[in-house]
Amino acid sequence: QAYVNSPRLSSTTAPRTSTLYRIAHVHMNLLVPKEMKKEGAHTCDEFDPRTAFILISTVPTVHTQNNTQETIPPRIYCWIGVQCNQNIINAANRAVSMFKRFEDVPEEVVTVNQGSFTQEERDFWVVINGSSLNNVSVSPNPAYDREYDPVQLEQHRQRILNEREDMAARQARIIGAPNPNPSSQVQQEEEKEESKFGLYHYLGEEDYEEENNIEAGEDFLFDHFSTYDQDDLEEDSIFVLRPNDDSCVYVWVGEDVECDENREELGMDVGKRFIEQTDLPLDTPIRVILEKDQETEEFWDHFDGACEC
C-alpha cells in the first residue's frame, strides 16, 4: 500500500510490519508500552507531546522524493514529546531495552526529539505515514488528558482515596467499632493488607532447604518484594504475583529456567506450593505465564502501586 504526501513530491511504501507503541499509564502509576493497533497509516493526531512513542520498523522503507529514491533501514525509533517528563522518558528507554532483550527487533535505536528537525525525525514520519516534516503538527490530544493532565491525575488519585475512606467508615459502622480517625485507620489497614500482596521470588526447594539446613516443607520458600517493577522479572527465575484482589495467583516462569518436567506443570506446582503456604483458599486459580504474549494487560495492571514511575 502506498502513502502519498504529494503526487509530485514524495511517495512512500510503508511496511506492514512496523508497530507503534505509546508509553501509557496503567492505573496512573505504572508506565508501560501500549500497542496502538490500527488499520492503515497512523496520523500525527494520534500523538501527544506529553508522552513518548516507540516505533519498531523491521523492514526497509523505500521513499521517493523529488524523483530521488532512498531506503530507510530497519530501526527502533523512540519519539520524545516536548512536554515529556523524565519518568516517561525513563519508561520509554526501559521499554526499548526490554524489546531488544526479548524480541526479534533491529539493533539500531534512534531517539527522536519532537521539533528537532533532524534527519532522524524526518525518517520517523516517513516510516509512520510518508509525511513531510513541514506537514507534521503534534498538540495535546484530549483523549489522553486523564493519563497526562496533572490536574486530572490528582483528582483521580483523590477520588480513590476518598472512596477507600468511605468504605472503611461504613465497615466500622457495620461492626460497631469506633472510627475516630478514618484516614489513619485506612492507612493502617492498607499497610497491613498490602504487606501480603505483591511479587514473590520462588527460591527453589532443594537449594533453599540445603542452604538453610531445614527439613522439606518446613519453611516459606518465597522471598517477598514489597516494592518491584517489571525489571525484577529475571529470565532464570520463577516469580509469583499475588494481586491485591486475591482473584488468582500468577506464576511467571522465566525462559531460561531449567527443569526436568514440563514448564507449565512446574509453574502449576509452584503456584500450589505458594497457596499452601499462604492464607489463600486452596481453589484459588493459578495462571502460569511462560511466554511474553501471555503477559496480558490485566497482568501488568496488578503492578499498580508497586513502582511509582
Side-chain angles (χ1 to χ4, degrees):
Q1 185 176 5
Y3 299 90
V4 179
N5 178 45
S6 167
R8 293 180 301 165
L9 296 180
S10 78
S11 65
T12 300
T13 302
R16 296 184 180 183
T17 52
S18 294
T19 309
L20 183 66
Y21 298 85
R22 173 173 64 90
I23 300 301
H25 285 273
V26 178
H27 290 293
M28 309 306 158
N29 289 321
L30 183 65
L31 290 163
V32 299
K34 185 174 183 179
E35 183 177 354
M36 300 181 66
K37 298 181 179 180
K38 181 182 179 181
E39 292 186 5
H42 292 280
T43 65
C44 59
D45 293 338
E46 300 171 60
F47 286 74
D48 194 301
R50 297 170 293 185
T51 190
F53 292 79
I54 297 171
L55 175 67
I56 301 178
S57 176
T58 57
V59 299
T61 301
V62 179
H63 176 61
T64 302
Q65 184 169 349
N66 294 330
N67 298 321
T68 301
Q69 188 179 81
E70 64 175 335
T71 301
I72 302 173
R75 291 170 176 160
I76 300 176
Y77 295 88
C78 186
W79 186 91
I80 307 296
V82 292
Q83 300 177 26
C84 212
N85 63 45
Q86 191 60 48
N87 288 334
I88 292 178
I89 295 175
N90 292 342
N93 290 332
R94 285 198 302 270
V96 169
S97 297
M98 295 289 280
F99 281 129
K100 292 192 66 176
R101 180 178 178 185
F102 299 115
E103 306 293 341
D104 184 16
V105 296
E107 280 296 319
E108 184 180 3
V109 178
V110 174
T111 299
V112 177
N113 294 307
Q114 180 189 357
S116 60
F117 294 98
T118 60
Q119 179 67 35
E120 288 77 11
E121 186 177 21
R122 173 187 166 279
D123 290 348
F124 173 80
W125 288 109
V126 167
V127 176
I128 285 286
N129 59 16
S131 292
S132 164
L133 267 178
N134 296 328
N135 297 333
V136 172
S137 176
V138 176
S139 57
N141 189 331
Y144 302 147
D145 281 350
R146 184 183 175 188
E147 292 188 49
Y148 305 114
D149 180 69
V151 175
Q152 292 200 34
L153 283 171
E154 178 58 27
Q155 289 175 346
H156 182 72
R157 188 187 72 85
Q158 194 59 50
R159 186 162 56 251
I160 292 176
L161 291 177
N162 291 340
E163 290 174 354
R164 289 177 177 176
E165 290 186 2
D166 291 343
M167 182 178 295
R170 288 197 299 271
Q171 291 175 343
R173 287 196 297 271
I174 291 173
I175 64 176
N179 188 26
N181 190 341
S183 297
S184 176
Q185 180 176 338
V186 170
Q187 182 178 1
Q188 292 175 4
E189 289 298 321
E190 286 181 350
E191 291 176 354
K192 181 178 179 181
E193 283 297 308
E194 291 179 359
S195 64
K196 64 184 181 182
F197 302 124
L199 189 68
Y200 291 80
H201 180 205
Y202 177 59
L203 301 174
E205 308 217 10
E206 293 183 3
D207 294 341
Y208 184 70
E209 288 159 1
E210 180 179 349
E211 181 179 328
N212 292 275
N213 193 27
I214 61 173
E215 296 296 328
E218 194 176 278
D219 206 353
F220 194 56
L221 302 174
F222 301 86
D223 185 21
H224 182 219
F225 292 14
S226 57
T227 59
Y228 57 93
D229 62 24
Q230 59 266 45
D231 291 339
D232 290 311
L233 299 175
E234 300 174 352
E235 289 296 336
D236 60 353
S237 300
I238 301 175
F239 293 86
V240 176
L241 177 66
R242 179 174 180 175
N244 292 353
D245 58 5
D246 273 344
S247 58
C248 66
V249 293
Y250 294 90
V251 181
W252 187 93
V253 182
E255 294 182 356
D256 297 335
V257 170
E258 297 181 0
C259 63
D260 297 329
E261 57 184 306
N262 180 283
R263 293 174 70 242
E264 185 168 3
E265 292 179 358
L266 172 63
M268 291 297 295
D269 289 342
V270 171
K272 292 175 183 178
R273 189 78 159 120
F274 180 82
I275 292 172
E276 291 171 355
Q277 294 199 330
T278 59
D279 58 351
L280 288 167
L282 294 179
D283 60 351
T284 300
I286 301 171
R287 299 181 182 176
V288 179
I289 297 176
L290 304 175
E291 308 292 342
K292 290 299 169 184
D293 57 6
Q294 295 176 322
E295 295 173 351
T296 62
E297 189 168 323
E298 181 184 11
F299 170 74
W300 291 120
D301 283 351
H302 293 300
F303 278 66
D304 178 27
C307 173
E308 296 292 334
C309 297

Coordinates of all heavy atoms in Angstrom, one line a residue, residues 43-101:
T43 N -1.6 8.7 12.1 CA -1.6 10.1 11.8 C -1.0 10.9 13.0 O -1.0 10.3 14.1 CB -2.9 10.7 11.4 OG1 -3.8 10.6 12.6 CG2 -3.6 9.9 10.3
C44 N -0.6 12.1 12.7 CA 0.0 12.9 13.8 C -1.0 13.2 14.9 O -0.6 13.6 16.0 CB 0.7 14.1 13.3 SG -0.4 15.2 12.4
D45 N -2.3 13.1 14.6 CA -3.4 13.4 15.6 C -3.4 12.4 16.7 O -3.9 12.7 17.8 CB -4.7 13.4 14.9 CG -4.9 14.6 13.9 OD1 -4.2 15.6 14.1 OD2 -5.8 14.5 13.0
E46 N -2.8 11.2 16.4 CA -2.7 10.2 17.5 C -1.6 10.4 18.4 O -1.5 9.7 19.4 CB -2.6 8.8 16.8 CG -3.7 8.4 15.9 CD -3.4 7.2 15.1 OE1 -3.2 6.1 15.7 OE2 -3.4 7.3 13.8
F47 N -0.7 11.3 18.2 CA 0.5 11.6 19.0 C 0.1 12.7 20.0 O -0.9 13.3 20.0 CB 1.7 12.0 18.2 CG 2.3 10.9 17.4 CD1 1.7 10.3 16.3 CD2 3.5 10.3 17.9 CE1 2.2 9.3 15.6 CE2 4.1 9.3 17.2 CZ 3.4 8.7 16.1
D48 N 1.0 12.8 21.0 CA 0.8 13.7 22.1 C 2.2 14.2 22.6 O 3.0 13.3 22.9 CB 0.0 13.1 23.2 CG -0.6 14.1 24.2 OD1 0.3 14.8 24.9 OD2 -1.8 14.2 24.4
P49 N 2.4 15.5 22.8 CA 3.7 15.9 23.2 C 4.0 15.6 24.7 O 5.2 15.8 25.1 CB 3.7 17.4 23.0 CG 2.2 17.8 23.1 CD 1.5 16.6 22.5
R50 N 3.0 15.1 25.4 CA 3.2 14.9 26.9 C 3.8 13.5 27.2 O 4.0 13.1 28.3 CB 1.9 15.1 27.6 CG 1.4 16.5 27.6 CD -0.1 16.6 28.1 NE -1.0 15.9 27.2 CZ -2.3 15.9 27.4 NH1 -2.8 16.5 28.5 NH2 -3.1 15.3 26.6
T51 N 3.9 12.7 26.1 CA 4.4 11.3 26.3 C 5.4 10.9 25.2 O 5.9 11.7 24.5 CB 3.2 10.3 26.4 OG1 3.7 9.0 26.8 CG2 2.6 10.2 25.0
A52 N 5.8 9.6 25.2 CA 6.8 9.1 24.3 C 6.1 8.0 23.5 O 5.2 7.3 24.0 CB 8.0 8.6 25.0
F53 N 6.6 7.8 22.3 CA 6.1 6.7 21.4 C 7.3 5.9 20.9 O 8.4 6.5 20.7 CB 5.4 7.3 20.2 CG 4.1 7.9 20.6 CD1 4.1 9.2 21.1 CD2 2.9 7.3 20.4 CE1 2.9 9.8 21.5 CE2 1.7 7.9 20.8 CZ 1.7 9.2 21.3
I54 N 7.1 4.6 20.7 CA 8.2 3.7 20.2 C 7.7 3.1 18.9 O 6.6 2.5 18.9 CB 8.5 2.6 21.2 CG1 9.1 3.2 22.5 CG2 9.5 1.7 20.6 CD1 9.2 2.2 23.6
L55 N 8.5 3.3 17.9 CA 8.1 2.8 16.6 C 9.2 1.7 16.2 O 10.4 2.0 16.2 CB 8.1 3.8 15.5 CG 7.9 3.4 14.0 CD1 6.5 2.8 13.9 CD2 8.2 4.5 13.1
I56 N 8.7 0.5 16.0 CA 9.6 -0.6 15.6 C 9.4 -0.9 14.1 O 8.3 -1.4 13.7 CB 9.4 -1.9 16.4 CG1 9.6 -1.5 17.9 CG2 10.3 -3.0 16.0 CD1 9.4 -2.7 18.8
S57 N 10.4 -0.6 13.3 CA 10.3 -0.9 11.8 C 11.3 -2.0 11.5 O 12.5 -1.8 11.6 CB 10.6 0.4 11.1 OG 10.7 0.2 9.7
T58 N 10.7 -3.1 11.1 CA 11.6 -4.3 10.9 C 12.0 -4.6 9.5 O 12.7 -5.5 9.2 CB 10.8 -5.5 11.5 OG1 9.6 -5.7 10.8 CG2 10.6 -5.4 13.0
V59 N 11.5 -3.8 8.5 CA 11.9 -3.9 7.1 C 12.2 -2.5 6.6 O 11.8 -1.5 7.1 CB 10.8 -4.6 6.3 CG1 10.4 -5.9 6.8 CG2 9.5 -3.7 6.3
P60 N 13.1 -2.5 5.6 CA 13.4 -1.2 5.0 C 12.2 -0.4 4.4 O 11.2 -1.1 4.0 CB 14.4 -1.5 3.9 CG 14.9 -2.9 4.2 CD 13.8 -3.6 4.9
T61 N 12.2 0.9 4.5 CA 11.2 1.7 4.0 C 11.8 2.4 2.7 O 12.8 3.2 2.9 CB 10.7 2.7 5.0 OG1 10.2 2.1 6.1 CG2 9.6 3.6 4.4
V62 N 11.1 2.2 1.6 CA 11.6 2.9 0.4 C 10.8 4.2 0.2 O 9.6 4.2 0.2 CB 11.4 2.0 -0.9 CG1 11.9 2.6 -2.1 CG2 12.2 0.7 -0.6
H63 N 11.6 5.3 0.0 CA 11.0 6.6 0.0 C 11.5 7.3 -1.3 O 12.7 7.3 -1.6 CB 11.3 7.4 1.2 CG 10.8 8.8 1.2 ND1 9.5 9.1 1.2 CD2 11.5 10.0 1.3 CE1 9.3 10.4 1.2 NE2 10.5 11.0 1.3
T64 N 10.5 7.9 -2.0 CA 10.9 8.7 -3.2 C 10.5 10.2 -3.0 O 9.3 10.4 -2.7 CB 10.2 8.1 -4.5 OG1 10.6 6.8 -4.6 CG2 10.6 8.9 -5.7
Q65 N 11.4 11.1 -3.2 CA 11.1 12.5 -3.1 C 11.9 13.2 -4.2 O 13.1 13.0 -4.4 CB 11.5 13.0 -1.7 CG 11.1 14.5 -1.6 CD 11.2 14.9 -0.1 OE1 11.3 14.1 0.8 NE2 11.1 16.2 0.2
N66 N 11.2 14.1 -4.9 CA 11.9 14.9 -6.0 C 12.6 14.0 -7.0 O 13.7 14.2 -7.3 CB 12.8 15.9 -5.4 CG 12.1 17.0 -4.6 OD1 10.9 17.3 -4.9 ND2 12.7 17.5 -3.6
N67 N 11.9 12.8 -7.3 CA 12.5 11.9 -8.2 C 13.8 11.2 -7.8 O 14.5 10.6 -8.5 CB 12.8 12.5 -9.6 CG 11.5 13.1 -10.2 OD1 10.4 12.4 -10.1 ND2 11.6 14.3 -10.8
T68 N 14.0 11.3 -6.5 CA 15.2 10.6 -5.9 C 14.7 9.5 -4.9 O 13.9 9.8 -4.0 CB 16.1 11.6 -5.1 OG1 16.5 12.6 -6.1 CG2 17.3 10.9 -4.6
Q69 N 15.2 8.3 -5.1 CA 14.8 7.2 -4.2 C 15.8 6.9 -3.1 O 17.0 6.9 -3.4 CB 14.5 6.0 -5.0 CG 13.9 4.8 -4.3 CD 13.7 3.6 -5.1 OE1 14.6 2.8 -5.4 NE2 12.4 3.4 -5.6
E70 N 15.3 6.7 -1.9 CA 16.2 6.4 -0.8 C 15.6 5.3 0.0 O 14.4 5.1 0.0 CB 16.5 7.6 0.1 CG 15.3 8.2 0.8 CD 15.7 9.3 1.7 OE1 16.8 9.3 2.2 OE2 14.8 10.1 2.0
T71 N 16.4 4.5 0.7 CA 15.9 3.4 1.6 C 16.3 3.7 3.0 O 17.5 3.9 3.3 CB 16.5 2.1 1.1 OG1 16.2 1.9 -0.2 CG2 16.0 1.0 2.0
I72 N 15.3 3.8 3.8 CA 15.5 3.9 5.3 C 15.6 2.6 5.9 O 14.7 1.7 5.8 CB 14.3 4.7 5.9 CG1 14.2 6.1 5.2 CG2 14.5 4.9 7.4 CD1 13.0 6.9 5.6
P73 N 16.7 2.3 6.6 CA 16.9 0.9 7.2 C 16.0 0.6 8.3 O 15.4 1.5 9.0 CB 18.4 1.0 7.6 CG 18.6 2.4 8.0 CD 17.8 3.2 7.0
P74 N 15.8 -0.6 8.7 CA 15.0 -1.0 9.9 C 15.6 -0.4 11.1 O 16.8 -0.4 11.3 CB 15.1 -2.5 9.9 CG 15.5 -2.9 8.5 CD 16.3 -1.8 8.0
R75 N 14.8 0.1 12.0 CA 15.2 0.7 13.2 C 14.2 0.7 14.3 O 13.0 0.4 14.0 CB 15.5 2.2 13.0 CG 16.7 2.6 12.1 CD 16.7 4.0 11.8 NE 17.9 4.5 11.0 CZ 17.9 5.6 10.3 NH1 16.8 6.4 10.3 NH2 19.0 5.9 9.6
I76 N 14.6 1.0 15.5 CA 13.7 1.3 16.6 C 13.8 2.8 16.8 O 14.8 3.3 17.1 CB 14.0 0.6 17.9 CG1 14.0 -1.0 17.7 CG2 13.1 1.0 19.0 CD1 14.4 -1.7 18.9
Y77 N 12.6 3.5 16.7 CA 12.6 4.9 17.0 C 11.9 5.2 18.3 O 10.9 4.6 18.6 CB 11.8 5.6 15.9 CG 12.4 5.6 14.5 CD1 12.1 4.5 13.6 CD2 13.2 6.6 14.0 CE1 12.6 4.5 12.3 CE2 13.7 6.6 12.7 CZ 13.4 5.5 11.9 OH 13.9 5.5 10.6
C78 N 12.6 6.0 19.1 CA 12.0 6.4 20.4 C 11.7 7.9 20.3 O 12.6 8.8 20.4 CB 12.9 6.1 21.5 SG 12.2 6.5 23.2
W79 N 10.4 8.2 20.1 CA 9.9 9.6 19.8 C 9.6 10.3 21.2 O 8.8 9.7 21.9 CB 8.7 9.6 18.9 CG 8.2 11.0 18.5 CD1 8.6 11.7 17.4 CD2 7.2 11.8 19.1 NE1 7.9 12.9 17.3 CE2 7.1 13.0 18.4 CE3 6.5 11.6 20.3 CZ2 6.2 14.0 18.7 CZ3 5.6 12.6 20.7 CH2 5.4 13.8 19.9
I80 N 10.2 11.4 21.5 CA 10.1 12.0 22.8 C 9.3 13.4 22.6 O 9.8 14.2 21.9 CB 11.4 12.3 23.5 CG1 12.2 11.0 23.6 CG2 11.2 12.9 24.9 CD1 11.6 9.9 24.5
G81 N 8.2 13.5 23.2 CA 7.4 14.8 23.1 C 8.1 15.9 23.8 O 8.8 15.7 24.8
V82 N 7.8 17.1 23.4 CA 8.5 18.3 24.0 C 8.0 18.5 25.5 O 8.7 19.2 26.3 CB 8.2 19.6 23.2 CG1 8.9 19.5 21.9 CG2 6.7 19.8 23.0
Q83 N 6.8 18.0 25.8 CA 6.3 18.2 27.2 C 6.5 16.9 28.1 O 5.9 16.7 29.1 CB 4.8 18.5 27.2 CG 4.6 19.9 26.4 CD 3.1 20.2 26.4 OE1 2.3 19.7 27.2 NE2 2.7 20.9 25.3
C84 N 7.3 16.0 27.6 CA 7.5 14.7 28.2 C 8.3 14.9 29.5 O 9.4 15.5 29.5 CB 8.3 13.8 27.3 SG 7.8 12.1 27.4
N85 N 7.9 14.3 30.6 CA 8.7 14.4 31.9 C 9.7 13.2 31.9 O 9.7 12.3 31.1 CB 7.8 14.4 33.1 CG 7.0 13.1 33.3 OD1 7.5 12.0 33.1 ND2 5.7 13.2 33.6
Q86 N 10.6 13.3 32.9 CA 11.7 12.3 32.9 C 11.3 10.9 33.2 O 11.8 10.0 32.7 CB 12.8 12.8 33.9 CG 14.1 12.0 33.9 CD 14.8 12.2 32.5 OE1 14.9 13.3 32.0 NE2 15.2 11.0 32.0
N87 N 10.2 10.8 34.0 CA 9.7 9.5 34.3 C 9.2 8.7 33.1 O 9.5 7.5 32.9 CB 8.5 9.6 35.3 CG 9.0 10.0 36.7 OD1 10.1 9.7 37.1 ND2 8.1 10.6 37.4
I88 N 8.6 9.4 32.2 CA 8.1 8.8 30.9 C 9.3 8.5 30.0 O 9.3 7.5 29.4 CB 7.1 9.8 30.2 CG1 5.8 9.8 31.1 CG2 6.8 9.3 28.8 CD1 4.7 10.8 30.5
I89 N 10.2 9.4 30.0 CA 11.4 9.1 29.1 C 12.2 7.9 29.7 O 12.6 7.0 28.9 CB 12.4 10.4 29.2 CG1 11.7 11.6 28.5 CG2 13.7 10.0 28.5 CD1 12.5 12.8 28.6
N90 N 12.3 7.8 31.0 CA 12.9 6.6 31.5 C 12.1 5.3 31.2 O 12.7 4.3 30.9 CB 13.0 6.7 33.1 CG 14.0 7.8 33.5 OD1 14.9 8.2 32.7 ND2 13.9 8.3 34.7
A91 N 10.8 5.4 31.3 CA 10.0 4.2 31.0 C 10.1 3.9 29.5 O 10.2 2.7 29.2 CB 8.5 4.6 31.3
A92 N 10.2 4.8 28.6 CA 10.4 4.6 27.2 C 11.8 3.9 27.0 O 11.9 2.9 26.2 CB 10.4 5.8 26.4
N93 N 12.8 4.3 27.6 CA 14.1 3.7 27.5 C 14.1 2.3 28.0 O 14.7 1.4 27.4 CB 15.2 4.5 28.2 CG 15.5 5.9 27.5 OD1 15.3 6.0 26.3 ND2 15.9 6.9 28.3
R94 N 13.4 2.1 29.1 CA 13.3 0.7 29.7 C 12.6 -0.2 28.7 O 13.0 -1.4 28.5 CB 12.6 0.7 31.0 CG 13.5 1.2 32.2 CD 12.9 0.8 33.5 NE 11.5 1.2 33.7 CZ 11.1 2.4 34.2 NH1 12.1 3.2 34.6 NH2 9.9 2.7 34.3
A95 N 11.5 0.3 28.1 CA 10.7 -0.5 27.2 C 11.6 -0.9 25.9 O 11.5 -2.0 25.5 CB 9.5 0.3 26.7
V96 N 12.4 0.1 25.4 CA 13.3 -0.2 24.3 C 14.2 -1.3 24.7 O 14.5 -2.3 23.9 CB 14.0 1.0 23.8 CG1 15.1 0.7 22.8 CG2 13.0 2.0 23.2
S97 N 14.8 -1.3 25.9 CA 15.7 -2.3 26.4 C 15.0 -3.6 26.4 O 15.6 -4.7 26.1 CB 16.3 -1.9 27.7 OG 17.0 -0.7 27.6
M98 N 13.8 -3.7 26.9 CA 13.1 -4.9 27.0 C 12.8 -5.5 25.6 O 12.9 -6.7 25.4 CB 11.7 -4.7 27.8 CG 11.9 -4.3 29.2 SD 12.5 -5.6 30.2 CE 11.0 -6.5 30.5
F99 N 12.4 -4.6 24.7 CA 12.2 -5.1 23.3 C 13.4 -5.7 22.7 O 13.4 -6.8 22.1 CB 11.7 -4.0 22.4 CG 10.3 -3.6 22.6 CD1 9.9 -2.3 22.8 CD2 9.3 -4.5 22.5 CE1 8.6 -1.9 23.0 CE2 7.9 -4.2 22.6 CZ 7.6 -2.9 22.9
K100 N 14.6 -5.1 22.9 CA 15.8 -5.6 22.4 C 16.2 -6.9 23.1 O 16.9 -7.8 22.4 CB 16.9 -4.5 22.6 CG 16.7 -3.3 21.7 CD 18.0 -2.4 21.7 CE 19.1 -3.1 21.0 NZ 20.3 -2.2 20.8
R101 N 15.9 -7.0 24.3 CA 16.3 -8.2 25.1 C 15.4 -9.4 24.7 O 15.9 -10.6 24.6 CB 16.2 -7.9 26.6 CG 16.6 -9.1 27.4 CD 16.6 -8.8 28.9 NE 16.9 -9.9 29.7 CZ 16.8 -9.9 31.1 NH1 16.4 -8.8 31.7 NH2 17.1 -11.0 31.8

